[in-house]
Coordinates of all heavy atoms in Angstrom, one line a residue:
M845 N 25.9 9.2 69.9 CA 25.0 8.1 69.9 C 25.5 7.2 68.7 O 25.7 7.7 67.6 CB 23.6 8.5 69.7 CG 22.6 7.3 69.5 SD 20.9 7.9 69.3 CE 20.1 6.7 70.2
K846 N 25.6 5.9 69.0 CA 26.0 4.9 67.9 C 24.8 4.8 67.0 O 23.7 4.6 67.4 CB 26.4 3.6 68.5 CG 26.9 2.6 67.5 CD 27.4 1.4 68.1 CE 27.8 0.4 67.0 NZ 28.4 -0.8 67.5
Q847 N 25.2 4.8 65.7 CA 24.1 4.6 64.7 C 24.2 3.2 64.1 O 25.3 2.6 64.1 CB 24.3 5.6 63.6 CG 24.1 7.1 64.1 CD 24.2 8.1 63.0 OE1 24.8 7.8 61.9 NE2 23.7 9.3 63.2
F848 N 23.1 2.7 63.6 CA 23.0 1.3 63.1 C 22.7 1.4 61.6 O 22.1 2.3 61.1 CB 21.9 0.6 63.8 CG 22.1 0.4 65.3 CD1 21.6 1.3 66.1 CD2 22.9 -0.6 65.7 CE1 21.8 1.2 67.5 CE2 23.1 -0.7 67.1 CZ 22.6 0.2 68.0
G849 N 23.1 0.4 60.9 CA 22.8 0.3 59.5 C 23.4 1.4 58.7 O 24.6 1.7 58.8
D850 N 22.6 2.1 57.9 CA 23.0 3.2 57.1 C 22.8 4.6 57.8 O 22.4 5.5 57.2 CB 22.3 3.2 55.8 CG 22.8 2.1 54.9 OD1 24.0 1.7 55.0 OD2 21.9 1.6 54.1
G851 N 23.1 4.6 59.1 CA 23.0 5.9 59.8 C 21.7 6.1 60.5 O 21.3 7.2 60.8
N852 N 20.9 5.1 60.8 CA 19.7 5.2 61.5 C 19.9 5.4 63.0 O 20.4 4.5 63.6 CB 18.8 4.0 61.2 CG 17.5 4.0 61.9 OD1 17.1 5.1 62.4 ND2 16.8 2.9 61.9
A853 N 19.5 6.5 63.5 CA 19.7 6.8 64.9 C 18.5 6.5 65.8 O 18.5 6.7 67.0 CB 20.1 8.3 65.1
S854 N 17.5 5.9 65.2 CA 16.3 5.6 65.9 C 16.4 4.4 66.7 O 15.5 4.1 67.5 CB 15.1 5.5 65.0 OG 15.2 4.3 64.2
G855 N 17.4 3.6 66.5 CA 17.6 2.3 67.3 C 17.0 1.2 66.5 O 17.2 0.0 66.9
R856 N 16.3 1.4 65.4 CA 15.7 0.3 64.6 C 16.8 -0.2 63.6 O 17.5 0.6 63.1 CB 14.5 0.8 63.9 CG 13.3 1.1 64.8 CD 12.0 1.3 64.1 NE 12.3 2.5 63.2 CZ 11.5 2.8 62.2 NH1 10.4 2.1 61.9 NH2 11.7 3.9 61.5
F857 N 16.7 -1.5 63.4 CA 17.7 -2.0 62.4 C 17.3 -1.6 61.0 O 16.1 -1.7 60.6 CB 17.6 -3.6 62.5 CG 18.5 -4.2 61.5 CD1 19.9 -4.2 61.6 CD2 17.9 -4.8 60.4 CE1 20.7 -4.8 60.6 CE2 18.7 -5.4 59.4 CZ 20.1 -5.4 59.5
V858 N 18.2 -1.1 60.3 CA 18.1 -0.7 58.9 C 19.2 -1.4 58.1 O 20.4 -1.1 58.3 CB 18.2 0.8 58.7 CG1 18.1 1.2 57.2 CG2 17.1 1.6 59.5
P859 N 18.8 -2.4 57.3 CA 19.8 -3.1 56.6 C 20.5 -2.3 55.5 O 20.0 -1.4 55.0 CB 19.0 -4.3 55.9 CG 17.6 -3.9 56.0 CD 17.4 -2.8 57.1
S860 N 21.8 -2.6 55.3 CA 22.6 -1.9 54.3 C 22.1 -2.3 52.9 O 21.3 -3.3 52.7 CB 24.0 -2.3 54.5 OG 24.2 -3.7 54.1
K861 N 22.6 -1.6 51.9 CA 22.2 -1.9 50.5 C 22.7 -3.3 50.2 O 22.0 -4.0 49.5 CB 22.9 -0.9 49.6 CG 22.2 0.5 49.6 CD 22.8 1.4 48.6 CE 22.1 2.8 48.7 NZ 22.7 3.7 47.7
R862 N 23.9 -3.7 50.7 CA 24.4 -5.0 50.4 C 23.5 -6.1 51.0 O 23.2 -7.1 50.3 CB 25.8 -5.1 51.0 CG 26.4 -6.5 50.8 CD 27.9 -6.5 51.4 NE 28.4 -7.8 51.3 CZ 28.8 -8.5 52.4 NH1 28.7 -8.0 53.6 NH2 29.2 -9.7 52.2
V863 N 23.0 -5.9 52.2 CA 22.1 -6.9 52.8 C 20.8 -6.9 52.0 O 20.2 -8.0 51.8 CB 21.9 -6.5 54.3 CG1 20.7 -7.4 54.8 CG2 23.1 -6.7 55.1
L864 N 20.3 -5.8 51.6 CA 19.0 -5.7 50.8 C 19.2 -6.4 49.5 O 18.3 -7.2 49.1 CB 18.6 -4.3 50.6 CG 18.0 -3.6 51.9 CD1 17.7 -2.1 51.6 CD2 16.8 -4.3 52.5
T865 N 20.3 -6.2 48.8 CA 20.5 -6.9 47.6 C 20.6 -8.4 47.8 O 20.0 -9.2 47.0 CB 21.9 -6.4 47.0 OG1 21.7 -5.0 46.7 CG2 22.2 -7.1 45.7
L866 N 21.3 -8.9 48.8 CA 21.4 -10.3 49.1 C 20.1 -10.8 49.4 O 19.7 -11.9 49.0 CB 22.4 -10.5 50.2 CG 22.7 -11.9 50.6 CD1 23.2 -12.7 49.4 CD2 23.6 -12.0 51.8
R867 N 19.3 -10.1 50.2 CA 17.9 -10.6 50.6 C 17.1 -10.8 49.4 O 16.4 -11.8 49.2 CB 17.3 -9.5 51.5 CG 15.9 -9.9 51.9 CD 15.3 -8.8 52.8 NE 14.0 -9.1 53.3 CZ 12.9 -8.7 52.6 NH1 13.0 -8.1 51.4 NH2 11.7 -9.1 53.1
N868 N 17.1 -9.8 48.4 CA 16.3 -9.9 47.2 C 16.8 -11.1 46.3 O 15.9 -11.8 45.8 CB 16.4 -8.6 46.4 CG 15.7 -7.5 47.1 OD1 14.8 -7.7 47.9 ND2 16.1 -6.2 46.8
R869 N 18.1 -11.3 46.3 CA 18.6 -12.5 45.5 C 18.1 -13.8 46.1 O 17.7 -14.7 45.4 CB 20.1 -12.4 45.4 CG 20.6 -11.4 44.5 CD 22.1 -11.3 44.4 NE 22.8 -12.6 44.3 CZ 23.8 -13.0 45.0 NH1 24.4 -12.2 45.9 NH2 24.3 -14.2 44.9
L870 N 18.1 -13.8 47.5 CA 17.7 -15.0 48.2 C 16.2 -15.3 48.0 O 15.8 -16.4 47.7 CB 18.1 -14.9 49.7 CG 17.8 -16.1 50.5 CD1 18.6 -17.3 50.0 CD2 18.2 -15.8 52.0
I871 N 15.4 -14.2 48.1 CA 14.0 -14.4 47.9 C 13.7 -14.9 46.5 O 12.9 -15.8 46.3 CB 13.3 -13.0 48.2 CG1 13.3 -12.7 49.7 CG2 11.8 -13.0 47.6 CD1 12.8 -11.3 50.0
K872 N 14.4 -14.3 45.5 CA 14.2 -14.8 44.1 C 14.5 -16.2 43.9 O 13.8 -17.0 43.3 CB 14.9 -13.9 43.1 CG 14.8 -14.3 41.7 CD 15.1 -13.2 40.7 CE 15.0 -13.6 39.3 NZ 13.9 -14.5 38.9
F873 N 15.7 -16.6 44.5 CA 16.1 -18.0 44.5 C 15.0 -19.0 45.0 O 14.7 -20.0 44.4 CB 17.4 -18.2 45.2 CG 18.0 -19.6 45.0 CD1 18.8 -19.9 44.0 CD2 17.7 -20.6 46.0 CE1 19.3 -21.2 43.9 CE2 18.2 -21.8 45.9 CZ 19.0 -22.2 44.8
V874 N 14.5 -18.6 46.2 CA 13.5 -19.4 46.9 C 12.3 -19.5 46.0 O 11.7 -20.6 45.8 CB 13.2 -18.9 48.3 CG1 12.0 -19.6 48.9 CG2 14.5 -19.1 49.2
E875 N 11.8 -18.4 45.5 CA 10.6 -18.3 44.7 C 10.8 -19.1 43.4 O 9.8 -19.8 43.0 CB 10.2 -16.9 44.3 CG 9.7 -16.1 45.5 CD 9.4 -14.7 45.3 OE1 9.9 -14.1 44.3 OE2 8.7 -14.0 46.1
D876 N 12.0 -19.0 42.8 CA 12.2 -19.7 41.5 C 12.5 -21.2 41.6 O 12.2 -22.0 40.7 CB 13.4 -19.0 40.8 CG 13.0 -17.6 40.3 OD1 11.8 -17.2 40.3 OD2 14.0 -16.9 39.8
H877 N 13.2 -21.6 42.7 CA 13.7 -23.0 42.8 C 13.1 -23.8 44.0 O 13.0 -25.0 43.8 CB 15.2 -22.9 42.9 CG 15.8 -22.2 41.7 ND1 15.9 -22.7 40.5 CD2 16.4 -21.0 41.6 CE1 16.5 -21.9 39.6 NE2 16.8 -20.8 40.4
I878 N 12.9 -23.2 45.1 CA 12.5 -24.0 46.3 C 11.0 -24.2 46.3 O 10.5 -25.3 46.5 CB 13.0 -23.3 47.6 CG1 14.5 -23.1 47.5 CG2 12.6 -24.1 48.8 CD1 15.4 -24.3 47.4
Y879 N 10.2 -23.1 46.3 CA 8.8 -23.2 46.3 C 8.2 -24.2 45.3 O 7.3 -25.0 45.6 CB 8.1 -21.8 46.2 CG 8.3 -20.9 47.4 CD1 8.2 -19.5 47.3 CD2 8.6 -21.4 48.7 CE1 8.4 -18.7 48.3 CE2 8.8 -20.6 49.7 CZ 8.7 -19.2 49.6 OH 8.8 -18.4 50.7
P880 N 8.7 -24.2 44.0 CA 8.1 -25.1 43.1 C 8.4 -26.6 43.5 O 7.7 -27.5 43.0 CB 8.9 -24.8 41.8 CG 9.3 -23.4 41.9 CD 9.6 -23.2 43.4
M881 N 9.4 -26.9 44.3 CA 9.7 -28.2 44.8 C 9.0 -28.6 46.1 O 9.2 -29.8 46.5 CB 11.2 -28.4 44.9 CG 11.9 -28.3 43.6 SD 11.5 -29.6 42.4 CE 11.9 -31.1 43.4
E882 N 8.3 -27.7 46.7 CA 7.7 -28.0 48.0 C 6.9 -29.3 48.1 O 7.0 -30.1 49.0 CB 6.9 -26.8 48.5 CG 7.7 -25.8 49.2 CD 6.8 -24.7 49.8 OE1 5.7 -24.5 49.4 OE2 7.3 -24.1 50.8
N883 N 6.1 -29.5 47.1 CA 5.2 -30.7 47.1 C 6.1 -32.0 47.0 O 5.8 -33.0 47.7 CB 4.2 -30.7 45.9 CG 3.1 -29.7 46.2 OD1 2.8 -29.4 47.4 ND2 2.5 -29.2 45.2
E884 N 7.1 -32.0 46.2 CA 8.0 -33.1 46.1 C 8.7 -33.4 47.4 O 8.9 -34.5 47.8 CB 9.1 -32.9 45.0 CG 8.5 -32.9 43.6 CD 8.0 -34.3 43.3 OE1 8.7 -35.3 43.5 OE2 6.9 -34.4 42.7
F885 N 9.2 -32.3 48.0 CA 9.9 -32.5 49.3 C 8.9 -33.0 50.4 O 9.3 -33.8 51.2 CB 10.6 -31.2 49.8 CG 11.7 -30.7 48.9 CD1 11.9 -29.4 48.6 CD2 12.6 -31.7 48.3 CE1 12.9 -29.0 47.8 CE2 13.6 -31.2 47.5 CZ 13.8 -29.9 47.3
Y886 N 7.7 -32.5 50.3 CA 6.7 -32.9 51.3 C 6.4 -34.4 51.1 O 6.3 -35.2 52.1 CB 5.4 -32.1 51.1 CG 4.3 -32.5 52.1 CD1 4.4 -32.1 53.4 CD2 3.3 -33.3 51.7 CE1 3.4 -32.5 54.3 CE2 2.3 -33.7 52.6 CZ 2.4 -33.3 53.9 OH 1.4 -33.7 54.8
K887 N 6.2 -34.8 49.9 CA 6.0 -36.3 49.6 C 7.1 -37.1 50.1 O 6.8 -38.2 50.7 CB 5.8 -36.5 48.1 CG 4.5 -36.0 47.5 CD 4.6 -36.3 46.0 CE 3.5 -35.5 45.3 NZ 3.6 -35.6 43.8
L888 N 8.3 -36.7 49.9 CA 9.4 -37.5 50.5 C 9.4 -37.5 52.0 O 9.6 -38.6 52.6 CB 10.8 -36.9 50.0 CG 12.0 -37.6 50.5 CD1 12.1 -39.1 50.0 CD2 13.2 -36.9 50.1
A889 N 9.1 -36.4 52.6 CA 9.0 -36.3 54.1 C 7.9 -37.2 54.7 O 8.0 -37.7 55.8 CB 8.8 -34.9 54.5
Q890 N 6.9 -37.5 53.9 CA 5.8 -38.3 54.4 C 6.0 -39.8 54.0 O 5.2 -40.7 54.4 CB 4.5 -37.8 53.8 CG 4.1 -36.4 54.2 CD 4.2 -36.2 55.7 OE1 3.6 -36.9 56.4 NE2 4.9 -35.1 56.1
S891 N 7.0 -40.1 53.2 CA 7.2 -41.5 52.8 C 8.1 -42.3 53.7 O 8.8 -41.7 54.6 CB 7.8 -41.4 51.4 OG 9.2 -41.2 51.4
P892 N 8.2 -43.6 53.5 CA 9.1 -44.4 54.3 C 10.6 -44.0 54.0 O 11.5 -44.3 54.9 CB 8.8 -45.8 53.8 CG 7.5 -45.8 53.2 CD 7.3 -44.4 52.6
S893 N 10.9 -43.3 53.0 CA 12.2 -42.9 52.6 C 12.5 -41.5 53.1 O 13.4 -40.8 52.6 CB 12.4 -42.9 51.1 OG 12.2 -44.2 50.6
R894 N 11.8 -41.0 54.1 CA 11.9 -39.7 54.5 C 13.3 -39.2 55.0 O 13.6 -38.1 55.0 CB 10.9 -39.4 55.6 CG 11.1 -40.1 56.9 CD 10.0 -39.7 57.9 NE 9.9 -40.6 59.0 CZ 9.1 -41.7 59.0 NH1 8.4 -42.0 58.0 NH2 9.1 -42.5 60.1
W895 N 14.1 -40.2 55.4 CA 15.4 -39.8 55.9 C 16.5 -39.8 54.8 O 17.7 -39.6 55.0 CB 15.9 -40.7 57.0 CG 15.0 -40.6 58.2 CD1 14.1 -41.6 58.6 CD2 14.7 -39.5 59.0 NE1 13.4 -41.1 59.7 CE2 13.8 -39.8 60.0 CE3 15.3 -38.2 59.1 CZ2 13.3 -39.0 60.9 CZ3 14.8 -37.3 60.0 CH2 13.9 -37.7 61.0
T896 N 16.0 -39.9 53.5 CA 17.0 -39.9 52.4 C 17.0 -38.5 51.8 O 16.0 -37.7 52.0 CB 16.6 -40.9 51.3 OG1 15.3 -40.6 50.8 CG2 16.6 -42.3 51.8
V897 N 18.0 -38.2 51.1 CA 18.1 -36.9 50.4 C 17.4 -36.9 49.1 O 17.6 -37.8 48.3 CB 19.6 -36.5 50.3 CG1 19.7 -35.1 49.5 CG2 20.3 -36.4 51.6
H898 N 16.5 -36.0 48.9 CA 15.8 -35.9 47.6 C 16.9 -35.6 46.5 O 17.7 -34.7 46.7 CB 14.8 -34.8 47.6 CG 13.8 -34.8 46.4 ND1 14.2 -34.4 45.2 CD2 12.6 -35.2 46.3 CE1 13.2 -34.5 44.4 NE2 12.2 -35.0 45.0
P899 N 16.9 -36.3 45.4 CA 17.9 -36.0 44.3 C 18.0 -34.6 43.9 O 19.1 -34.1 43.6 CB 17.4 -36.9 43.2 CG 16.5 -37.9 43.7 CD 15.9 -37.3 45.0
E900 N 16.9 -33.9 43.9 CA 16.9 -32.5 43.5 C 17.5 -31.6 44.5 O 18.0 -30.5 44.2 CB 15.4 -32.0 43.2 CG 15.3 -30.7 42.5 CD 15.7 -30.7 41.1 OE1 16.0 -31.8 40.6 OE2 15.8 -29.7 40.5
E901 N 17.6 -32.0 45.8 CA 18.2 -31.2 46.8 C 19.6 -30.9 46.6 O 20.1 -29.8 46.8 CB 18.0 -31.9 48.2 CG 18.3 -31.1 49.4 CD 18.0 -31.8 50.7 OE1 17.2 -32.7 50.7 OE2 18.6 -31.4 51.7
E902 N 20.4 -32.0 46.1 CA 21.8 -31.8 45.9 C 22.0 -30.8 44.7 O 22.9 -30.0 44.7 CB 22.5 -33.1 45.6 CG 22.6 -34.0 46.8 CD 23.4 -33.3 47.9 OE1 24.4 -32.7 47.6 OE2 22.9 -33.4 49.1
R903 N 21.2 -30.9 43.7 CA 21.3 -29.9 42.6 C 21.0 -28.5 43.0 O 21.7 -27.6 42.7 CB 20.3 -30.3 41.4 CG 20.5 -29.4 40.2 CD 19.4 -29.7 39.2 NE 18.1 -29.1 39.6 CZ 17.8 -27.8 39.5 NH1 18.7 -26.9 39.1 NH2 16.6 -27.4 39.9
L904 N 20.0 -28.3 43.9 CA 19.7 -27.0 44.4 C 20.8 -26.5 45.3 O 21.1 -25.3 45.3 CB 18.3 -27.0 45.2 CG 17.1 -27.2 44.3 CD1 15.9 -27.5 45.2 CD2 16.9 -26.1 43.4
K905 N 21.4 -27.3 46.1 CA 22.5 -26.9 46.9 C 23.7 -26.4 46.1 O 24.2 -25.4 46.4 CB 23.0 -28.1 47.8 CG 24.0 -27.7 48.8 CD 24.7 -28.8 49.5 CE 24.0 -30.0 49.8 NZ 24.8 -31.0 50.6
E906 N 24.0 -27.1 45.0 CA 25.1 -26.7 44.1 C 24.7 -25.4 43.4 O 25.6 -24.5 43.3 CB 25.4 -27.8 43.1 CG 26.0 -29.0 43.7 CD 27.3 -28.7 44.5 OE1 28.1 -27.9 44.1 OE2 27.4 -29.2 45.7
L907 N 23.5 -25.2 43.0 CA 23.0 -24.0 42.4 C 23.1 -22.8 43.4 O 23.6 -21.7 43.0 CB 21.6 -24.1 41.9 CG 21.0 -22.9 41.1 CD1 21.9 -22.6 39.9 CD2 19.6 -23.3 40.7
A908 N 22.7 -23.0 44.6 CA 22.8 -22.0 45.7 C 24.3 -21.6 45.9 O 24.6 -20.4 46.1 CB 22.1 -22.5 46.9
K909 N 25.2 -22.6 45.9 CA 26.6 -22.3 46.1 C 27.1 -21.5 45.0 O 27.8 -20.5 45.2 CB 27.4 -23.6 46.2 CG 27.2 -24.3 47.5 CD 28.0 -25.6 47.4 CE 27.9 -26.4 48.7 NZ 28.6 -27.7 48.7
K910 N 26.7 -21.8 43.7 CA 27.1 -21.1 42.5 C 26.6 -19.6 42.6 O 27.3 -18.7 42.2 CB 26.6 -21.8 41.3 CG 27.0 -21.2 40.0 CD 26.4 -22.0 38.8 CE 26.6 -21.2 37.6 NZ 25.9 -21.8 36.4
E911 N 25.4 -19.5 43.1 CA 24.8 -18.1 43.2 C 25.3 -17.3 44.4 O 24.9 -16.2 44.6 CB 23.3 -18.2 43.3 CG 22.7 -18.9 42.1 CD 22.5 -18.0 40.9 OE1 22.4 -16.7 41.2 OE2 22.4 -18.5 39.8
G912 N 26.2 -18.0 45.3 CA 26.6 -17.3 46.5 C 25.6 -17.2 47.6 O 25.7 -16.3 48.4
L913 N 24.7 -18.1 47.6 CA 23.6 -18.1 48.5 C 23.6 -19.3 49.5 O 22.6 -19.6 50.1 CB 22.2 -18.1 47.8 CG 22.0 -16.9 46.9 CD1 20.8 -17.1 46.0 CD2 22.0 -15.6 47.6
W914 N 24.7 -19.9 49.6 CA 24.8 -21.1 50.5 C 25.7 -20.7 51.7 O 26.7 -20.1 51.6 CB 25.5 -22.2 49.7 CG 25.5 -23.5 50.5 CD1 26.5 -24.1 51.1 CD2 24.4 -24.4 50.7 NE1 26.2 -25.3 51.7 CE2 24.8 -25.5 51.5 CE3 23.0 -24.3 50.4 CZ2 24.0 -26.5 51.9 CZ3 22.2 -25.3 50.8 CH2 22.7 -26.4 51.5
N915 N 25.3 -21.2 52.9 CA 26.0 -20.9 54.2 C 26.2 -19.5 54.4 O 27.3 -19.0 54.7 CB 27.3 -21.7 54.2 CG 27.1 -23.2 54.5 OD1 26.0 -23.6 54.9 ND2 28.0 -24.0 54.1
L916 N 25.2 -18.7 54.3 CA 25.3 -17.2 54.5 C 25.6 -16.8 55.9 O 26.1 -15.7 56.1 CB 23.9 -16.6 54.1 CG 23.5 -16.8 52.6 CD1 22.1 -16.2 52.4 CD2 24.5 -16.1 51.7
W917 N 25.5 -17.7 56.9 CA 25.7 -17.3 58.2 C 27.2 -17.6 58.6 O 27.6 -17.2 59.7 CB 24.8 -18.1 59.2 CG 25.0 -19.6 59.0 CD1 25.9 -20.4 59.7 CD2 24.3 -20.5 58.1 NE1 25.8 -21.7 59.3 CE2 24.8 -21.8 58.3 CE3 23.3 -20.3 57.2 CZ2 24.4 -22.9 57.6 CZ3 22.8 -21.4 56.5 CH2 23.4 -22.6 56.7
I918 N 28.0 -18.2 57.7 CA 29.4 -18.4 58.1 C 30.2 -17.2 57.8 O 30.1 -16.6 56.7 CB 30.0 -19.6 57.2 CG1 29.3 -20.9 57.6 CG2 31.5 -19.7 57.4 CD1 29.7 -22.1 56.8
P919 N 30.9 -16.6 58.8 CA 31.7 -15.4 58.5 C 32.7 -15.6 57.5 O 33.3 -16.7 57.4 CB 32.4 -15.2 59.9 CG 31.6 -15.9 60.9 CD 31.0 -17.1 60.1
V920 N 32.9 -14.6 56.6 CA 33.9 -14.7 55.5 C 35.3 -15.2 56.0 O 35.9 -16.0 55.3 CB 33.9 -13.4 54.7 CG1 35.0 -13.4 53.7 CG2 32.6 -13.0 54.2
F921 N 35.7 -14.7 57.1 CA 37.1 -15.0 57.5 C 37.3 -16.5 57.8 O 38.4 -17.0 57.7 CB 37.5 -14.1 58.7 CG 36.8 -14.5 60.0 CD1 37.4 -15.5 60.8 CD2 35.7 -13.9 60.4 CE1 36.7 -15.9 62.0 CE2 35.0 -14.2 61.6 CZ 35.6 -15.2 62.4
L922 N 36.2 -17.2 58.1 CA 36.3 -18.6 58.3 C 36.5 -19.4 57.0 O 36.9 -20.5 56.9 CB 35.1 -19.2 59.0 CG 34.9 -18.8 60.5 CD1 33.7 -19.3 61.1 CD2 36.1 -19.3 61.3
L923 N 36.1 -18.7 55.9 CA 36.3 -19.4 54.6 C 37.6 -19.2 53.9 O 38.0 -19.8 52.9 CB 35.2 -18.8 53.6 CG 33.7 -19.1 54.1 CD1 32.8 -18.4 53.1 CD2 33.4 -20.5 54.2
L924 N 38.4 -18.3 54.5 CA 39.7 -18.0 54.0 C 40.7 -19.1 54.3 O 40.7 -19.6 55.4 CB 40.2 -16.6 54.5 CG 39.4 -15.4 54.2 CD1 39.9 -14.2 54.9 CD2 39.3 -15.2 52.7
P925 N 41.7 -19.3 53.4 CA 42.7 -20.4 53.7 C 43.7 -19.8 54.8 O 43.9 -18.6 54.9 CB 43.4 -20.6 52.4 CG 43.2 -19.4 51.6 CD 41.8 -18.8 52.1
F926 N 44.2 -20.8 55.6 CA 45.1 -20.4 56.7 C 46.5 -20.3 56.3 O 47.0 -21.0 55.5 CB 44.9 -21.3 57.9 CG 43.6 -21.1 58.6 CD1 42.5 -22.0 58.3 CD2 43.4 -20.1 59.5 CE1 41.3 -21.8 58.9 CE2 42.2 -20.0 60.1 CZ 41.1 -20.8 59.8

């Protein structure tokens, strides 16, 4: 029988240690940087300028990139030079 995650044979998904570590880092990033800005982002979304990028958004994007938390769904092999 094929096992999933770290050897779980019950058929339930069990994330690896690497995934759990990444998840915890992502949760901390969101708690520290995104949640405190929610009201600002909401105000912009309700304003006539709603289709503009909030200045803080670009800073947060760069910080997420620096922390290795940006574009997590892109497979690593796509990031490698050809």
Side-chain angles (χ1 to χ4, degrees):
M845 171 180 222
K846 183 175 180 177
Q847 296 181 343
F848 300 94
D850 288 329
N852 177 12
S854 70
R856 292 186 301 163
F857 176 74
V858 177
S860 67
K861 286 183 182 181
R862 179 175 173 243
V863 169
L864 289 174
T865 299
L866 183 60
R867 178 183 181 272
N868 290 336
R869 287 179 45 225
L870 185 58
I871 288 170
K872 179 161 178 34
F873 184 88
V874 171
E875 288 174 345
D876 292 349
H877 303 287
I878 305 300
Y879 290 156
M881 293 298 301
E882 277 188 333
N883 286 334
E884 289 296 315
F885 294 142
Y886 180 77
K887 286 178 194 175
L888 178 65
Q890 300 306 311
S891 77
S893 302
R894 67 182 163 267
W895 299 112
T896 62
V897 176
H898 192 286
E900 193 67 10
E901 189 175 341
E902 289 302 315
R903 186 189 71 78
L904 290 170
K905 185 187 332 181
E906 292 306 314
L907 183 58
K909 286 178 182 179
K910 181 180 169 187
E911 300 279 334
L913 300 172
W914 187 254
N915 285 339
L916 297 174
W917 59 89
I918 295 178
V920 175
F921 72 88
L922 290 178
L923 301 174
L924 299 174
F926 290 98

